[in-house]
């Protein structure tokens, strides 16, 4: 199974990004990502045996209990690579929860499945983003687009990606609500301790 952890977007955010995709739609060299595929990848796992699934689901639920919901923002666009010929046009995502979740997933995978299970994701630093279009043939860059988008991130998901001739098909295997119960338990126990004194 080809798998990744991701955060998907609410409809109003997707609508704004789809409108922005109109900037590259006029050029045949760019192929826009389908609206229902717009997401922030937290960790790409590549091909994993079905036997890993129980560990991957358990990790998602455990991190969901540890991390609280957070606010995500999109302010502008960029290219990968930034210099030379771009292959990907993306919207930059900001929010303190992105890095915390991505790092937690990496650590959890390393502990449960070993370093080898992280190889598919590469060693590039994590940069939360939403891929808007991929360049398939020569086509010009479009000027930066400025957004003022914001939304509450309340869950993330483990996703199966099947590569088909007409493009990938994503199937959400499980959603993990962000509860932050661990932090709340710590606050409550700290409060109880202070009352004891």
């Amino acid at each position: 199974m080809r798998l990744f952890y991701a955060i998907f977007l609410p409809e109003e955010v997707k609508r704004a990004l789809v409108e922005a995709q109109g900037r590259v739609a006029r050029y045949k060299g760019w192929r826009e990502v389908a609206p229902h595929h717009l997401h922030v990848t937290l960790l790409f796992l590549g091909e994993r045996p079905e036997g890993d699934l129980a560990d991957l689901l358990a990790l998602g639920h455990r991190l969901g209990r540890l991390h609280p919901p957070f606010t995500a923002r999109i302010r502008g666009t960029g290219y990968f690579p930034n210099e030379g010929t771009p292959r990907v046009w993306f919207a930059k995502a900001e929010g303190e929860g992105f890095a915390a979740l991505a790092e937690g997933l990496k650590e959890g995978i390393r502990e449960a499945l070993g370093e080898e299970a992280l190889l598919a994701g590469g060693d590039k630093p994590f940069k939360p983003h939403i891929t808007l279009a991929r360049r398939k043939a020569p086509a010009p860059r479009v000027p930066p687009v400025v957004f003022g988008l914001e939304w509450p991130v309340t869950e993330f998901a483990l996703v199966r990606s099947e590569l088909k001739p007409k493009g990938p098909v994503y199937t959400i295997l499980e959603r993990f609500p962000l509860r932050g119960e661990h932090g709340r338990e710590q606050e409550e126990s700290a409060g109880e301790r202070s009352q004891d004194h």
Side-chain angles (χ1 to χ4, degrees):
M1 291 186 291
R2 193 169 184 265
L3 301 172
F4 63 97
Y5 290 101
I7 292 170
F8 285 88
L9 313 176
E11 288 301 320
E12 63 272 20
V13 173
K14 282 195 283 190
R15 275 197 295 273
L17 296 180
V18 168
E19 190 178 325
Q21 286 176 316
R23 308 285 182 100
V24 296
R26 72 189 76 167
Y27 305 114
K28 289 183 179 177
W30 286 104
R31 182 181 297 173
E32 307 98 282
V33 172
H36 62 284
H37 281 175
L38 293 170
H39 68 274
V40 178
T41 298
L42 293 171
L43 183 66
F44 179 70
L45 297 166
E47 290 290 339
R48 301 304 311 168
E50 202 162 331
D52 286 355
L53 201 51
D55 285 331
L56 298 175
L57 295 174
L59 174 61
H61 284 295
R62 181 163 64 83
L63 289 181
R65 287 193 295 273
L66 289 173
H67 292 270
F70 64 94
T71 300
R73 298 174 187 83
I74 301 174
R75 298 284 182 250
T77 56
Y79 289 97
F80 289 137
N82 191 37
E83 303 293 331
T85 303
R87 292 189 305 275
V88 169
W89 184 49
F90 64 89
K92 302 171 193 171
E94 303 169 4
E96 59 188 29
F98 286 123
L101 273 176
E103 191 54 39
L105 287 167
K106 250 183 160 176
E107 285 179 18
I109 295 291
R110 189 177 287 120
E111 287 171 12
L113 303 174
E115 194 73 30
E116 174 272 334
L118 294 171
L119 295 178
D123 57 1
K124 292 179 183 171
F126 173 69
K127 290 184 180 176
H129 67 277
I130 299 136
T131 297
L132 299 174
R134 291 185 175 84
R135 213 175 87 136
K136 301 295 182 185
R141 289 176 180 238
V142 296
V145 180
V146 177
F147 300 102
L149 301 171
E150 194 172 288
W151 81 97
V153 177
T154 58
E155 64 178 23
F156 67 105
L158 180 63
V159 186
R160 178 178 186 174
S161 170
E162 295 173 87
L163 299 178
K164 306 280 187 182
K166 290 187 176 179
V169 175
Y170 294 165
T171 304
I172 293 179
L173 300 179
E174 189 109 348
R175 296 175 190 273
F176 311 108
L178 296 175
R179 296 195 176 97
E181 291 168 356
H182 179 68
R184 195 159 57 241
E185 285 168 9
Q186 283 186 329
E187 285 174 14
E188 287 171 0
S189 61
E192 287 168 9
R193 282 198 300 275
S194 64
Q195 287 173 4
D196 291 342
H197 293 290

